[in-house]
Amino acid sequence: MALKEILAFIPEVKKPIEKKVGFNLKLKWTLIVLGAFFILYNIPLYGLSANAFQRFEFLALILGTDFGSIISLGIGPIVTASIILQLLTGAGILGIDTKTEEGRKLFQGIQKIGVLFFIIFEAFVFVLMRGLEANAGYEGMVIFQLILGGLAIMYMDEVTTKWGFGSGISLFILAGVALQLFVGLFQFVGTAGENCLINFGETACSGKILIVIQSIINGAPKEAMLALIIIVITAVIFLAVVWAQSLKVEIPLSYDRLRGYGVKWPLQFFYASNLPVILVAALAANVQLFASLLENWLGKATILGGFSNGQPISGFSFWIGSSDLVNAAITKSLTAAHLLQGVFHLLFYIVFSVIFSIFWVKTTGMDAAGQAKNIINSGLQIPGFRKDERILESVLNRYIMPLTVMGGIAIGALASIANLLGALTSGTAILLAVTISYQFYQNIAKEHAVDMHPAMKKMIG
């Protein structure tokens, strides 16, 4: 009872009165949230003295943030609270029945309390452990800004979930990856801050396409080949993820009141979607961030990891991290430690992707019982079987749990291998960008085939 009273005092975004929000309204709120995200993304923290996290570009991408900005916490508090709550619920410690409406509301309420806790906790940790070091006397100011940014991300995520397309978490990751890919291809500002287009022949560019052109002009085939390989690997990863995303199992169903009419109930191969790999990547990011904070605070490396130029070189952070094996092989710097690290990285992603896939399916009503109930409520049944929810559940059990496990293995392995091959951005980020884009496409095509603008309808097909 006390918990429900606490939840009543926490502000929340109201759900729309209509059961189905129109396409134009969803598009408006999604664009508003996206615009607000990029504005906050470019607002630096006032009073910041040093940014030890600036070198962690990969972690910033996965957490949907830019370290040093007002939203430096990114989606970290949200996914951390989600991971812990899923583990507690999956282990039966909390005893919340997420199959009921009241249980789901309680789950979401506890998750929001967890998010608020981690926003405040991480804001203090980032500043007091000198990850984001404030000027003397400005520690409170920087912490206050981080908390405001964390709250903004939390409520922007809630607005997107209730009034926009998909979730804010997915939207922020996609926006960050898209920006990183564009910059990786066409960045014309060099490492020293100079514009390479002014003196194209002599000033080194950063964008891979510009590097290829520049290397050909200057007669540097090795540099051109390395840049081309990175572009090709990125394109191959995109195509592989798109192909894997299209795999699905279709269960034939028929209407119980309309003889001769039937539909196919699709079960995606990535049954738990991309959420497991988001949680795994966020878990690895949080471990590495905490290890870096400990190293800065203590002045020495710990068992969690030591770092050099932003890269983990020892400890647990090193073994769950990844190295660009293709680049190392071409430059003849590949060692046995790199290969062993690749094996640990692969196992870490696969094992935790499977764990989070199972927990996600069980806590979101996507298990066989939940799907059986949805099918029965839709007036459908499996041909040749009696219309009984228990029979339908037993049939679906043959597909859903194997898909959950195999999909978790596949998406974990795909993300890990993509990380190890090297690309314009991390393989995990590319995988997330493709799966998120595909989800947005599916949701829009499925829910708004009638009310969307004719030009958008033609483009989506």
Side-chain angles (χ1 to χ4, degrees):
M1 190 67 182
L3 183 59
K4 291 184 178 179
E5 290 176 357
I6 294 172
L7 294 176
F9 285 99
I10 300 176
E12 66 173 338
V13 177
K14 287 187 177 181
K15 289 183 178 180
I17 299 173
E18 306 87 354
K19 288 186 177 180
K20 183 179 179 182
V21 181
F23 174 81
N24 291 335
L25 189 59
K26 279 190 176 182
L27 180 63
K28 182 185 78 171
W29 280 110
T30 301
L31 292 176
I32 288 172
V33 170
L34 192 60
F37 171 77
F38 278 120
I39 291 172
L40 295 173
Y41 189 91
N42 288 284
I43 296 178
L45 287 165
Y46 178 74
L48 186 66
S49 172
N51 183 2
F53 291 152
Q54 194 169 14
R55 60 190 187 269
F56 291 103
E57 291 182 7
F58 159 65
L59 304 182
L61 204 60
I62 297 300
L63 295 176
T65 185
D66 180 33
F67 291 125
S69 71
I70 196 171
I71 55 169
S72 291
L73 300 182
I75 63 172
I78 299 175
V79 295
T80 304
S82 177
I83 289 171
I84 293 174
L85 194 56
Q86 282 194 53
L87 290 172
L88 293 175
T89 306
I93 296 173
L94 289 181
I96 300 175
D97 185 6
T98 55
K99 295 178 182 178
T100 64
E101 183 67 24
E102 186 178 353
R104 282 192 290 269
K105 285 183 179 179
L106 182 60
F107 183 89
Q108 292 167 0
I110 295 175
Q111 184 175 8
K112 184 173 283 188
I113 292 175
V115 174
L116 290 173
F117 169 78
F118 280 109
I119 286 173
I120 297 170
F121 175 75
E122 290 185 16
F124 275 91
V125 168
F126 276 26
V127 175
L128 298 182
M129 297 184 75
R130 300 198 300 275
L132 297 172
E133 189 172 352
N135 289 316
Y138 283 85
E139 291 85 359
M141 175 66 72
V142 174
I143 290 171
F144 178 69
Q145 293 173 79
L146 287 173
I147 292 174
L148 283 182
L151 291 173
I153 289 292
M154 183 181 79
Y155 283 108
M156 284 160 60
D157 171 59
E158 195 172 348
V159 169
T160 308
T161 302
K162 294 180 178 178
W163 291 89
F165 299 114
S167 70
I169 292 176
S170 298
L171 184 66
F172 304 148
I173 293 175
L174 179 60
V177 175
L179 179 63
Q180 185 75 15
L181 285 173
F182 183 82
V183 169
L185 286 171
F186 303 105
Q187 175 66 280
F188 55 83
V189 178
T191 54
E194 71 281 6
N195 188 338
C196 72
L197 298 179
I198 297 176
N199 193 1
F200 194 70
E202 298 179 8
T203 306
C205 295
S206 299
K208 299 304 177 185
I209 288 179
L210 299 180
I211 289 176
V212 171
I213 298 172
Q214 197 175 51
S215 300
I216 292 173
I217 293 174
N218 295 334
K222 187 175 182 180
E223 286 76 5
M225 183 181 70
L226 283 172
L228 271 174
I229 287 174
I230 292 173
I231 294 172
V232 170
I233 287 174
T234 304
V236 170
I237 292 171
F238 261 108
L239 294 174
V241 176
V242 170
W243 173 78
Q245 186 71 38
S246 65
L247 297 176
K248 58 187 175 183
V249 174
E250 294 182 330
I251 299 176
L253 301 174
S254 62
Y255 288 97
D256 55 349
R257 295 183 180 181
L258 296 172
R259 293 184 179 275
Y261 290 91
V263 295
K264 290 183 179 179
W265 192 275
L267 300 175
Q268 299 291 335
F269 178 62
F270 291 154
Y271 187 69
S273 187
N274 58 6
L275 261 299
V277 84
I278 290 178
L279 296 176
V280 175
L283 177 62
N286 282 321
V287 169
Q288 293 184 353
L289 284 177
F290 189 66
S292 176
L293 285 169
L294 278 179
E295 186 180 31
N296 287 339
W297 190 38
L298 299 175
K300 61 179 181 179
T302 65
I303 192 172
L304 287 178
F307 296 82
S308 175
N309 298 321
Q311 297 298 320
I313 57 174
S314 64
F316 188 62
S317 293
F318 172 78
W319 294 113
I320 65 172
S322 62
S323 301
D324 188 347
L325 299 184
V326 174
N327 184 65
I330 292 174
T331 56
K332 298 180 180 179
S333 59
L334 185 65
T335 64
H338 287 140
L339 295 175
L340 194 58
Q341 180 198 38
V343 173
F344 276 102
H345 182 72
L346 180 65
L347 291 174
F348 178 81
Y349 265 72
I350 288 176
V351 170
F352 278 95
S353 289
V354 171
I355 292 172
F356 288 135
S357 292
I358 294 172
F359 284 163
W360 183 258
V361 167
K362 288 185 177 294
T363 56
T364 56
M366 292 173 60
D367 56 357
Q371 289 284 28
K373 186 175 181 180
N374 292 335
I375 291 172
I376 293 294
N377 291 339
S378 300
L380 295 165
Q381 66 182 61
I382 298 179
F385 289 87
R386 185 162 52 90
K387 188 179 180 181
D388 188 301
E389 193 172 315
R390 292 169 298 177
I391 295 175
L392 187 55
E393 182 181 342
S394 66
V395 173
L396 290 175
N397 261 324
R398 303 174 191 172
Y399 300 94
I400 288 180
M401 191 48 66
L403 281 175
T404 301
V405 174
M406 290 190 297
I409 292 173
I411 200 168
L414 193 56
S416 175
I417 292 170
N419 287 339
L420 295 170
L421 289 178
L424 287 169
T425 183
S426 76
T428 304
I430 293 174
L431 186 149
L432 293 177
V434 174
T435 53
I436 289 169
S437 300
Y438 189 76
Q439 282 178 357
F440 280 149
Y441 163 77
Q442 277 191 318
N443 290 339
I444 292 172
K446 181 180 179 180
E447 298 179 9
H448 302 283
V450 178
D451 62 336
M452 75 173 66
H453 192 276
M456 285 289 295
K457 189 183 296 186
K458 187 176 181 181
M459 182 178 70
I460 291 178

